[in-house]
Amino acid sequence: MSSPVPQNVHRRRWVILGVLMLSLLIVVLDNSILNVAMKTIAQPAPTGLGASQSELEWAINSYTLVFAGLLFTAGLLGDRLGRRRVLLFGLVVFGLGSVLAALATSPGQLIAFRAVMGFGGAFVMPSTLAILMNVFERDEQPKAIGIWAGGVGLGIAVGPVTGGALLEHYWWGSVFLVNVPIVLVALAAMVLLVPDSRDPRPGRLDPLGVLLSVAGLVLLVYGIIKGGQLADFTDPGVLLPLGGGVAVLAAFVFHERRSDHPAIDVTYFRNPAFSAAVTAIALVFFALMGVTFFAVFYMQSVRGFSALEAGLLMTPLALAQLVFAPRARLVVDRFGAKAVCAGGMVLVGAGMAAFVLFGRTTPVWALEVVFFVQGTAMAHIMPPATVSIMQSLPREKAGSGSAVNNTFRQVGGAMGVAVLGSLLSARYREGIEGRLAQLPLPEGTRHAAAESIEGTLAVASRLGPAGRELVGPAKDAFIDAMHVTVLGSAAVALLGALVVALWLPGKPQARTGEAGEPEQDETNTPVGAGR
């Protein structure tokens, strides 16, 4: 049984939660800021870096894959060395990576420095949730996790607006440099207010498992992005990394099952509540991150909104999470986690499918309604799913449980950007290649122009009157590609709803034992309890 929270820590638990949310904010803020800055980074120097569609995908995924690959090791290090100490280390690395990313002079440098930021972020995210689980008693944990999830919504809300405002007045690197003062404040508050905690029986590290997981994910994502770039998933340059990625990940699973100190403890997945919640989180972020990736281009490249306007347009998505996430536990208490999560996944799918109705002149209010519905749905998925994951484990294993939660969220998001971004790119190329073939362009220029709408518009701006005739077809080709892509995204969200409906436990039923005492529902028994 978990030991009670010390009284001096219990008294300042809400202040500690505020400090943890500040640390969480920079990780979420960075990704949401980058979304609104992608169009600017895609533009030629000196405005941007001239990044291609695939380079933009890698700028997101280099961070995400390093982040996801190291999360479990970071959680174990927090369990072993102390969660606050590990969190402080992660904040310092994240801040240094932010400075380097702001000063990048090429897409390759940006991709590399984003990986450094991912390395730092991996030590921040699991520690925040693990510390939370150790400063709140079990009965307050759902409320605290709901507020924690609302902090994610705050980061998503603040990020695009802040990024848009910065891009109105400063160069694109300012969207990374803004992380630095937040890191400094978080470091000071962490040292002064947050207690340290660790697992008295921490697990051993598994460097081979970490290497296999990162290598397998990188190969798999590389193959997916390359397939979208070439619009040909049968090319040997696509099939080899795809096959290699699957083989390496299979070796990773085999190794984890046989290891006595695995990077990811597969015994956690014997609990249906844990497995269904992890799967739901992965699938909803697959759908959401993929749509967010191209929604920015729809708003800026097709509709003509500025970066700041695009950021403001995305606020309903975040504000809905900020408002409803802390209150999700009340809905769960009434209807049960299964019904709430499944309903949320269906709403996410409906919101994705609604993009099929969007064109070049769709009223802005319709876009706002869809964003609000998606944010509301997310707010009713993340808190109960996270509670199911974290309360399936003993408190001493909070670091590793948090790491599993965040690993699958990040992997789902990375795969969403890779798969849906590549589908968008391949479909867009099919729609615009015919028009580009009519122009006297070198083969390399034509290929780059067909990869994304920004590539096409960059070529069009250099061609004078002939280029202006490309703008309309480019926008039409993008909208068609977007319609196809959102249907795939909606299907993934509905698959998540099915997983939740089948395996996430329903509303607990009160039971009594022979002596009339309440008996714990077995679905809430922590993994490993009694063993």
Side-chain angles (χ1 to χ4, degrees):
M1 180 177 290
S2 300
S3 57
V5 177
Q7 193 60 36
N8 64 324
V9 173
H10 180 74
R11 282 196 298 266
R12 65 178 194 270
R13 64 196 183 282
W14 297 108
V15 176
I16 293 170
L17 177 59
V19 177
L20 295 176
M21 287 177 62
L22 184 62
S23 302
L24 175 69
L25 179 65
I26 62 166
V27 177
V28 179
L29 183 73
D30 176 71
N31 277 326
S32 58
I33 278 184
L34 180 60
N35 283 334
V36 81
M38 285 190 298
K39 181 180 183 295
T40 304
I41 295 172
Q43 293 176 6
T47 303
L49 294 176
S52 66
Q53 173 94 356
S54 57
E55 287 169 335
L56 290 173
E57 292 178 40
W58 275 115
I60 295 173
N61 282 341
S62 64
Y63 173 95
T64 303
L65 292 174
V66 172
F67 190 116
L70 291 174
L71 272 170
F72 205 88
T73 297
L76 285 174
L77 285 172
D79 291 344
R80 177 182 291 271
L81 303 176
R83 284 124 187 183
R84 185 181 68 168
R85 184 180 301 176
V86 165
L87 200 157
L88 290 172
F89 168 77
L91 285 172
V92 170
V93 174
F94 189 91
L96 291 174
S98 298
V99 173
L100 293 172
L103 301 177
T105 57
S106 69
Q109 287 186 8
L110 178 62
I111 291 167
F113 296 143
R114 285 278 296 163
V116 173
M117 294 173 68
F119 183 90
F123 289 86
V124 174
M125 182 70 85
S127 296
T128 62
L129 195 51
I131 292 171
L132 181 154
M133 298 299 289
N134 278 273
V135 299
F136 285 91
E137 296 291 0
R138 187 179 180 89
D139 61 337
E140 285 189 321
Q141 286 171 1
K143 180 179 180 180
I145 289 174
I147 295 172
W148 180 87
V152 175
L154 178 63
I156 296 173
V158 172
V161 177
T162 303
L166 289 170
L167 292 171
E168 290 275 316
H169 300 96
Y170 305 104
W171 96 114
W172 63 267
S174 62
V175 302
F176 297 110
L177 213 55
V178 74
N179 294 329
V180 177
I182 304 175
V183 167
L184 294 176
V185 173
L187 284 170
M190 192 70 56
V191 170
L192 293 173
L193 297 169
V194 176
D196 208 354
S197 64
R198 65 185 71 197
D199 186 347
R201 295 182 298 277
R204 292 163 56 197
L205 301 182
D206 179 19
L208 177 58
V210 172
L211 289 175
L212 287 173
S213 65
V214 173
L217 287 170
V218 168
L219 283 170
L220 192 62
V221 170
Y222 174 84
I224 293 168
I225 292 176
K226 189 69 174 178
Q229 185 181 5
L230 299 176
D232 181 7
F233 285 87
T234 62
D235 187 278
V238 175
L239 293 177
L240 285 175
L242 284 177
V246 171
V248 173
L249 289 176
F252 166 73
V253 173
F254 179 77
H255 169 74
E256 297 304 285
R257 294 185 64 181
R258 294 175 61 87
S259 175
D260 59 358
H261 55 286
I264 292 181
D265 191 341
V266 294
T267 61
Y268 292 167
F269 292 89
R270 294 174 183 169
N271 187 313
F274 185 92
S275 298
V278 165
T279 303
I281 286 174
L283 291 178
V284 77
F285 269 85
F286 179 102
L288 188 71
M289 288 295 290
V291 168
T292 304
F293 179 78
F294 63 73
V296 171
F297 289 99
Y298 168 71
M299 289 186 288
Q300 294 188 53
S301 301
V302 175
R303 301 299 299 270
F305 295 113
S306 68
L308 178 57
E309 290 168 338
L312 290 169
L313 287 172
M314 294 181 72
T315 53
L317 176 70
L319 290 177
Q321 292 186 57
L322 186 62
V323 171
F324 292 112
R327 297 168 175 80
R329 73 187 192 286
L330 303 176
V331 186
V332 172
D333 288 344
R334 182 168 182 178
F335 299 104
K338 174 185 287 193
V340 173
C341 281
M345 295 294 288
V346 170
L347 271 181
V348 168
M352 303 299 177
F355 273 84
V356 172
L357 305 175
F358 291 173
R360 292 167 63 176
T361 59
T362 302
V364 170
W365 65 262
L367 185 64
E368 300 299 270
V369 168
V370 169
F371 279 148
F372 186 81
V373 168
Q374 288 181 324
T376 302
M378 286 285 292
H380 290 87
I381 297 169
M382 292 301 297
T386 303
V387 169
S388 292
I389 292 169
M390 299 306 294
Q391 292 194 344
S392 295
L393 305 173
R395 177 180 285 161
E396 290 76 16
K397 300 299 180 184
S400 55
S402 172
V404 172
N405 174 23
N406 287 293
T407 296
F408 277 79
R409 186 180 70 163
Q410 294 294 331
V411 169
M415 295 303 293
V417 171
V419 173
L420 299 177
S422 295
L423 176 59
L424 179 79
S425 181
R427 182 73 179 191
Y428 177 79
R429 183 182 293 278
E430 291 177 7
I432 199 65
E433 270 187 328
R435 295 302 297 261
L436 290 172
Q438 299 172 12
L439 300 173
L441 296 172
E443 181 59 33
T445 302
R446 183 181 296 114
H447 183 86
E451 188 178 348
S452 68
I453 186 171
E454 278 303 307
T456 304
L457 295 179
V459 169
S461 67
R462 300 195 297 266
L463 293 178
R468 285 194 291 272
E469 295 180 4
L470 269 178
V471 173
K475 292 181 177 181
D476 291 338
F478 181 90
I479 290 171
D480 174 71
M482 180 179 75
H483 290 168
V484 172
T485 305
V486 294
L487 291 177
S489 184
V492 169
L494 294 178
L495 175 62
L498 180 62
V499 168
V500 168
L502 289 176
W503 288 294
L504 196 68
K507 187 176 181 180
Q509 299 297 318
R511 299 185 300 173
T512 56
E514 293 180 6
E517 293 296 324
E519 204 172 87
Q520 183 184 25
D521 190 289
E522 64 182 12
T523 58
N524 291 325
T525 302
V527 174
R531 290 190 288 132

